[in-house]
Amino acid sequence: MTRFRVEGKGRVEHAEPVNFTFDGRTYTGLRGDTVASALLANGVHLIGRSFKYHRPRGTVTAGSEEPNALISTSRGKGRYEPNTRATVQELREGLVAESQNRWPSLNFDIGAVNDKAYMLFSAGFYYKTFMWPKSFWNKVYEPIIRAAAGLGVSPGEEDPDRYSSRYLHTDILVIGAGPAGIAAAKSAAQSGARVTLVDENREIGGALLSDPRVKIDDIGAWDWLSAQLVELEELGVRLMMHTTAIGYYHQNMVGLCEKLTDHLDELPEGAPRERLWRVRAGQVVLAQGALEKPLVFDGNDRPGVMLAGSAQTYLNRYGVRVGDEAVVVTSHDSAWYGAFDLADAGTEITAIVDTRDTPRADLAREAERRGIRLFAGHTVTGTAGRLRVKSVRVNPVRDGRVGAAVTVRCDCLLMCGGWTPSLHLFSHTKGSLKWDESQNAYLPDHRSEACHIAGAGRGLWSFEAALNDGDVAGRAAAEAAGFEISDHARFAVAQDRPGTGVTHKELPTDRDAGKARAFIDFQNDVTAKDIRLAVREGMRSIEHVKRYTTNGMATDQGKMSNINGLMIAADALGEAPPRVGLTTFRPPYTPTTFGAFAGYHRGATFELTRRTTIDSWAEEHGAVFEPVAQWRRAWYFPKVGESMDAAVLRECTATRNSVGIFDASTLGKIEVAGPDAAEFMNRMYTNPWTKLAPGRTRYGLLLGEDGFIRDDGVIGRITDDLFHVTTTTGGAARVLNMMEDYLQTEWPDLTVWLTSMTEHWAVVALNGPNARKVLEPLVEGLDISHDAFPHMSVADCKVSGLPARLFRLSFTGELGFEINVPARHGPTLWKALMEAGAAHDICPYGTEAMHVLRAEKGYIIVGQDTDGTVTPEDAGLNWAIGKKKPDFVGKRSLARPDLVMPGRKQLVGLITENGAKLEEGAQIVLDPNQPKPMKMVGHVTSSYRSAALGHPIAMALIEGGRDLMGDIVHVPLPGVTHRARITDTNFYDPEGARLQV
Amino acid sequence: MLLIHCPYCEETLPEAEFAYAGEAHIDRPADPSALSDEEWRDYLFIRSNVKGPHFERWRHVHGCARFFNAVRDTVSDKFMTTYKAGDPRPDLTAEEAAQ
Ligand SMILES: [Zn+2]
C-alpha cells in the first residue's frame, strides 16, 4: 500500500495493482488510477518543468483541463506520445511515462536559469527583447528560445497505430455524463428519441464521482449511478465513454474523438487506437459542468499547490490524499467541503484561508468542530519550498490594507477561486455569452444552434439543481426533435453541498506586486504582471492582451486562466469585465491527435489512386511509377540495373528510331454532343471549329475569362454534332466543370450535352517512324496510309478486332497514332501492339520520355510551362486563336492593358554553353555580376537531357524573351552560374517533316 | 459541415457533395468587346464581398451536377435559401424575419 492511498476509498480496485515507470523509476498504482493519481498516491507532486521559465510544476487539476502535468508516454516502437495529460491518461500495466522540458533531470534543470531572468521574458518578450539586430533573430534568438522553451519532443518514428472514422446520426446528443447529462439523456430517451450520451471519462457520474456522500432520491450517489447505467441501457441510450466532444460545427454536427486503446494493458490485434465520429444530431444537450479557477498569488504554481476540488476528487474518486498537511485558500464555499473530506480521511488541515470576511456560519462551525484554524478576510502572499511547497504566507486584509504575514507550514496548498461554466462547445457555435454579475461568470445567452444547456454550464451549482435542470433540458430537446414528452421527474438530493463565492483579480499582497510570480496561465507561464504590462503598453481588447501575453494560447486554451486574465485586464483598464470581452474558444476542446484527424487517410489510402487498365502490365514489366493528379502513371521502364537517365534516353532513342508505345489512357476525354456543339466549342476554345470537317482534328486551346491559358488538347470532330475533346490529365475535371458552368448558366440557349469519357476509353499512343508498320496490319475498315489518313485525322474503325477510335496525331514530333478502345480492352490492345511491334523492337516508354520527346518539339505542358499567368501570345500560341471569331472565353482579356504590355515573360528555348542540364525552376538573370538582390527576368520551366540532340535542352519564361533570340542569359545555381543561349523552343525537326510520312 | 438544399434534387445534403462557385447574378456580358477596360475589369474581378446575406453560386457536383444559387449569411455562415439558376433574386424579408 502506497503512502498516500486511503484503504478502501475511491473507485479504484484496491486489489489490483498496476505497475508503471515515471522517469525510469517503477511505481505501483491501482486499476482505475490515472498516472497523476497514481503518482500522487506515491507522494509525487513534481511532474514537469514549465514552458518558459522551467519552473518546477506539479499536478494542479484532476481532469482534462490540466495545464502542468504533461508527460510523454510510450508503449513500444512508434507508440510514443508527447504532452499527454497525466490527469487523463489511465494507468495501464507497464506504461512508460517521462517528464518533459527538463535537462539533465527533473530535479535539477539547467533551463531554470530562465526563471531568474524572468524580467526578460515578460509580456511581449517576443516582440521586444529580441528586436535588434534583425539578423540575430534566425541565428541566435530563435534557436535559443526554441531550445529553452517548449513542451514535449515530437515523435521520431512512424505511428504504427490505426485510426478510424465514422458517421453517426442521432436525434439527441448529450455531451457530458454528469448528473445533468444523465438526467437529460434519460428524460429524452423516455420520449422514444434515439439518444447518444458521451463523456471523456471512463465512467459516468461527473462530479458525483467526487462526492459519494450525496443521496439522490434516498439512494447513495454511487449506487444511484450504477442504477442509472442499467436504466440508460434499458432506454436504449447509446453510451460512449472515453469520448471527447472536440468541436461543435454547423447544423448540429459534433466531432467526437473516442479513445479505444490507450487505457488497455494489451493492445487488441488490429484495433484502432482512436475513432473520430462525425455526429449529426437533431438536438444537442450540453452538460459539460464547470471548471474550478485557481487563485492568483505569488508562488501559486509550486508543486503541491493545486485546486481544492481536484484534491477532493483525488480523495473520493481515487482514494488518494494529496498530502499530510494541507492549507486551503479559497474565495468560494466549495473548497471547504474538500477540506472537511480530507480532514476526515486523515490529512491535517492546518488552516482554511478565506478571502471573504464572513464565511458561512455552518461551514465555520464544521471547521471548528474539526479543529481547523480559520483565517477569514485573509490573503496569501507567497509560498516557499524548492520542489514542493512547504509553507505559505498568510496576511490579514482590513479595508484594502494588507497586514503582517504569518507563515503556515504545509505540504500542499489547496486553492479555489470559484468556478467557470464550461461553455467551450457552445462558444464554437458562436452562441453568445452574457456576463452574470452575481456569479462573476459568463453564462449562455443567445443560441445559434439547436442546443440546450443544462446544469453547472448554466451556473447551477447544486446536484439537485443540476439533475432537475438536466431533466428539463432532455425533455425540451425531445420535444424540439418532435417527440412526445413525459412529466418532469423531480429529483430530491440530500447531503447536497451547494455554495457561493466571489471572483478576484490577483490577491492583494504586502510585497512588491511587480515582483510577484503570480501565475494565471500555468502552461504558457503568464503572470498577473504580464497582463497589467500589456495594458500599460496599450493593449485594450482582450484579444490583443491574449496575443501579447500568450494568455490562454497554450494547449489548454485557457480553461483555467481565462476569467482570471479577464478580471485582471478589466481592473487594469478600469472597465467592467463584460466591456473587455472574452476571447473565442476554438475546436478542438482538448488536444487531439493528428492520427484521429487523418483517420484512414494515410499511406496507401492517403488519397485514392487511379490506375489505367494497362497499369498492371506496366507493373509486371518493372515500371517505376509517378503520381500525376490522382493517377499513378508509368514513369519509365528500367531494365535490370539501368539508371533512370539511361532508361529515359533509351526509350527516347527507340521511339525516334523505330517505334515507342505509351499508355495515354489518363488523358481527360469529354464528348461534346448536340446540334449546337460546334457553336459551343467556338465559344469555349480560342480556335475556330465551324469549318473543321468530321474526321479531322485540331489542337485546342482553352483560356480562362482572364485570358490566361487553362488547358489544351487535341480535339477531333467525329460527326457534325459530336466533338471528342481531350484535356490534360490533371485538368479533366476542371475543364468539364468550366464547360458545364458556361453551358448551364451563361448559354442555356445552346443544345449541348457534355459527357466525361476519360475512364471509358483506354488510349495507347504509338509513335515513331515505324508506327504505321506496326499498326496497319491490325486495322480493319480504315486505310491509314499517309494520303488516306493524313496527320490530324480521326476515324472509327477496328484495331485487332476491337472497336476503336483512331487518331493520327503526335505529341513527339514523330509519325503518331492514338488508339482509343473501350477501357476493358486496353490490355488486349496493348499486348496485340507489343506483339505486332516485336519485329520493330517496339519500346514501351513512360511519362518522362514523353516529356522529353515533347520538349524537343517545343510542345508545352499546361501547368509546367505555364503557371496561370501565361497568355497564348506569351506561350507563342497566337496561331491557335481564331482571329475572326467575335468572342470566346478570355478573348476580351487578351486586349487588357497588362496583357499587351511589352516585356511580358515569353516562352523560349535555352541551351547551355557548357552542356550542363539546368534545374527546373532556376531563376534567370541578364547580368551575373550585378549586386544582390539580382533582377530576375524569368525561370526555367522544363529541362531535360536529349538523346536526339546530343545535349540538354530547356524551356524558360523570360521577359521579352523572343526579342532576345541568340542572346546569352545567366542561370545562377549554388556554386555555379551557367551561361545559356536563347533559342526557339522547337529544337528537333523544326520543319515537321517527320510528321508527314 | 453545412447541409445544403439542392433546388433541383429537392434534397438537403451534406456540403461534401457541393462545390462553391463564386458570387451569383454576375452575367457574362453579351458582347465583351463593347466593354471598356474598366467595365471588363469590374466583371472579372470586382465582387461585393458583403457582410451579411450573400448571393452566391453552388454546384451539386457530386449529385445532379447542376449549378444553382443560394443566399448565405456570411456572418453566421447559414444558408437563408437556395434557388434555381436563372431565377430572380429572392425577396429576403421572410428569411430575415425568420432569422
Ligand atoms: Zn442536386
Side-chain angles (χ1 to χ4, degrees), chain B residues 3-99:
Chain B
L3 294 171
I4 300 174
H5 183 81
C6 173
Y8 294 99
C9 296
E10 292 287 357
E11 292 251 28
T12 300
L13 297 158
E15 184 184 348
E17 292 192 13
F18 297 83
Y20 180 70
E23 188 167 353
H25 299 292
I26 298 172
D27 291 344
R28 187 174 192 272
D31 182 8
S33 63
L35 267 61
S36 69
D37 285 339
E38 288 69 29
E39 287 166 334
W40 184 247
R41 172 204 63 199
D42 290 354
Y43 164 68
L44 280 183
F45 302 123
I46 305 304
R47 296 295 179 265
S48 60
N49 193 27
V50 296
K51 180 178 181 182
H54 184 240
F55 294 79
E56 60 193 27
R57 307 189 319 137
W58 286 78
R59 185 181 183 206
H60 191 189
V61 62
H62 300 297
C64 64
R66 299 295 297 268
F67 284 84
F68 60 89
N69 291 334
V71 187
R72 185 178 53 95
D73 188 321
T74 59
V75 177
S76 65
D77 199 18
K78 289 192 171 171
F79 280 87
M80 298 167 79
T81 186
T82 60
Y83 53 103
K84 292 177 178 173
D87 285 359
R89 284 174 196 256
D91 177 10
L92 292 180
T93 30
E95 279 82 4
E96 274 171 346
Q99 297 226 332

